[in-house]
Amino acid sequence: MDGLVISGTDNITLTAREAGLVGCTHCARVWSIDTAVCGRCGATLTSRDPKSLSRVWAWWIAGVLAYIPANLYPILRTKTLFSEEESTIIGGAIDLFTNGDRGVAAIILFASVLIPVGKFIAVAFLALGAKRASNLPGHHRHVLFEIVEYIGRWSMIDVFVVAITSALVQLGSVASIQPGPAALAFALSVIFTMLAAQSFDSRMIWDRIEEEKVSE
Amino acid sequence: MSEFEHLIACPRCDALYRAARPKTGERAVCHRCHSVLIAPRVGASVRMVALSISVSILLIGALFLPFLHIERSGLGNSSSVFDVALIFAHGIGLPLVLAVASLIIVIPLLRALLVIYAVGPVVLNRNVRPHAARAFRWSETLRPWAMAEIFVLGCAIALVKIVDLATVDFGPALWMFSALVLINVFQDSFLCKWTVWSSLEQTT
């Protein structure tokens, strides 16, 4: 691997903190440990953010709270000539499934139920694992973090689908679709969980990996 | 400013390295967490700025041109993103409109403009503008919040959902959004943050 010369011995990587330095998490520039603001990009520097976990939990709780009304209230109100119906996230997916659009129903269920719930569990697991011993080896925790960070934004797809369908289906009395309160609650839940994952300081995962190595 | 300039700390895992520019086209990857740290390409900055300019033009077009057209029983409706925003901009729809519009138009556009502002002068060999590094940092912070590609997939799903209800056609804005997604993928493959950061630092 060209371009990087590892600092430290062959097995143990030297971290910026161990070298008495602090690395900028935005632009990777290195400063002496008592520097407060990155001189290159202006980001606030912290070697390890002690408040990071409280922020993660705060956003996590907000995300879970918003997810409850997102499932209880209707996400779509459909009016046609003869009928008016309201559907929730899960109810709508079940309707789609029975109407034969199984692929679409699967995508909706995956993006609006499986990913959000999986994310709540994964973020909670990572936050707990940052302090305590955990069964999952550190490298797997790192992979889990990458997945959570990458996949979280895709949950927003259901909000877009609701916005697009309701924008299009405005055909006067023949058919009209309106977004329900759950659409907003769901959007907020996705935003809060993204913020929870972003608040997590991934360097803590690696600190624990090194501790595990030493204790072995 | 030159203190520790030769060092680089992995933003993910804090591993410390002595940075040296790899050969063009090669990538320097963190030994521990495998994040790509340095990946210089020929003409990367020029491409970044050029693609950002195309993104801004596409976004403004996509805002006003119709993206889908629907028809049933002689009643038609074609809507641009802008029309949609106007329809729902009252009551409980307003916060939803603001959220969706920010995610698919405002934030992607802001990112493109920030990149043009920060990297543009570097390409033209001019002096770096004030706060250029800050602008580039903001554009990177906003990256996960620019959701054009998710919106395109959303269009496809919405299409399948309402195809029973009415006939639906694609409008030009949808193609523009699709082009946008391709450009984004392409642009990311050319982005070497380390090169951009160092070029912003040298001229300050």
Side-chain angles (χ1 to χ4, degrees), chain A residues 15 17 23-26 46-53 55-56 123 126-127 129-131 137-150 195-211, chain B residues 9-15 30 32-35 37:
Chain A
T15 65
R17 182 170 65 166
C24 175
T25 47
H26 290 268
T46 42
S47 183
R48 294 296 178 276
D49 193 348
K51 290 193 202 110
S52 148
L53 280 180
R55 273 207 305 278
V56 172
V123 171
L126 286 171
K131 284 255 171 82
H139 288 278
H140 295 177
R141 282 206 301 275
H142 171 67
V143 172
L144 185 65
F145 177 72
E146 300 255 297
I147 294 173
V148 164
E149 233 198 357
Y150 177 77
L195 289 169
Q198 282 178 12
S199 311
F200 192 80
D201 190 343
S202 62
R203 295 174 297 189
M204 291 191 297
I205 298 178
W206 290 96
D207 291 343
R208 287 215 37 96
I209 292 176
E210 295 301 326
E211 280 168 33
Chain B
C10 175
R12 290 252 156 199
C13 74
D14 211 30
C30 175
R32 276 216 294 196
C33 72
H34 308 295
S35 306
L37 295 176

Side-chain angles (χ1 to χ4, degrees), chain B:
Chain B
M1 283 300 274
S2 62
E3 202 190 359
F4 309 124
E5 205 176 3
H6 57 292
L7 293 176
I8 183 170
C10 175
R12 290 252 156 199
C13 74
D14 211 30
L16 189 66
Y17 302 99
R18 257 184 289 280
R21 195 186 175 83
K23 284 184 204 117
T24 301
E26 285 180 1
R27 311 196 306 171
V29 179
C30 175
H31 296 234
R32 276 216 294 196
C33 72
H34 308 295
S35 306
V36 178
L37 295 176
I38 311 176
R41 296 286 196 96
V42 185
S45 308
V46 182
R47 258 177 252 233
M48 254 178 90
V49 175
L51 291 175
S52 294
I53 294 172
S54 359
V55 164
S56 356
I57 296 170
L58 281 175
L59 275 171
I60 292 166
L63 184 58
F64 294 106
L65 292 169
F67 67 91
L68 286 173
H69 177 85
I70 182 175
E71 206 173 301
R72 172 168 164 179
S73 330
L75 284 168
N77 183 17
S78 58
S79 22
S80 66
V81 177
F82 195 68
D83 294 334
V84 176
L86 288 182
I87 294 176
F88 293 110
H90 53 80
I92 72 147
L94 184 63
L96 195 64
V97 163
L98 289 180
V100 172
S102 315
L103 295 175
I104 64 174
I105 302 276
V106 180
I107 293 177
L109 189 60
L110 191 61
R111 280 199 63 207
L113 295 178
L114 286 169
V115 168
I116 296 171
Y117 176 85
V119 188
V122 176
V123 172
L124 299 171
N125 283 322
R126 302 252 172 85
N127 282 340
V128 170
R129 287 208 185 95
H131 306 298
R134 206 167 286 241
F136 186 65
R137 171 164 63 89
W138 281 338
S139 117
E140 283 302 304
T141 311
L142 288 174
R143 174 186 294 276
W145 302 97
M147 300 191 178
E149 74 274 30
I150 302 175
F151 180 74
V152 169
L153 188 61
C155 280
I157 292 183
L159 216 67
V160 181
K161 272 181 94 172
I162 51 182
V163 87
D164 298 336
L165 215 58
T167 321
V168 188
D169 292 316
F170 295 128
L174 190 67
W175 298 117
M176 288 177 133
F177 265 111
S178 312
L180 211 74
V181 173
L182 291 179
I183 289 179
N184 271 332
V185 173
F186 195 61
Q187 192 171 28
D188 286 349
S189 70
F190 269 97
L191 176 64
C192 171
K193 291 188 210 169
W194 187 79
T195 312
V196 175
W197 286 122
S198 349
S199 69
L200 291 181
E201 185 169 24
Q202 269 164 18
T203 19
T204 14

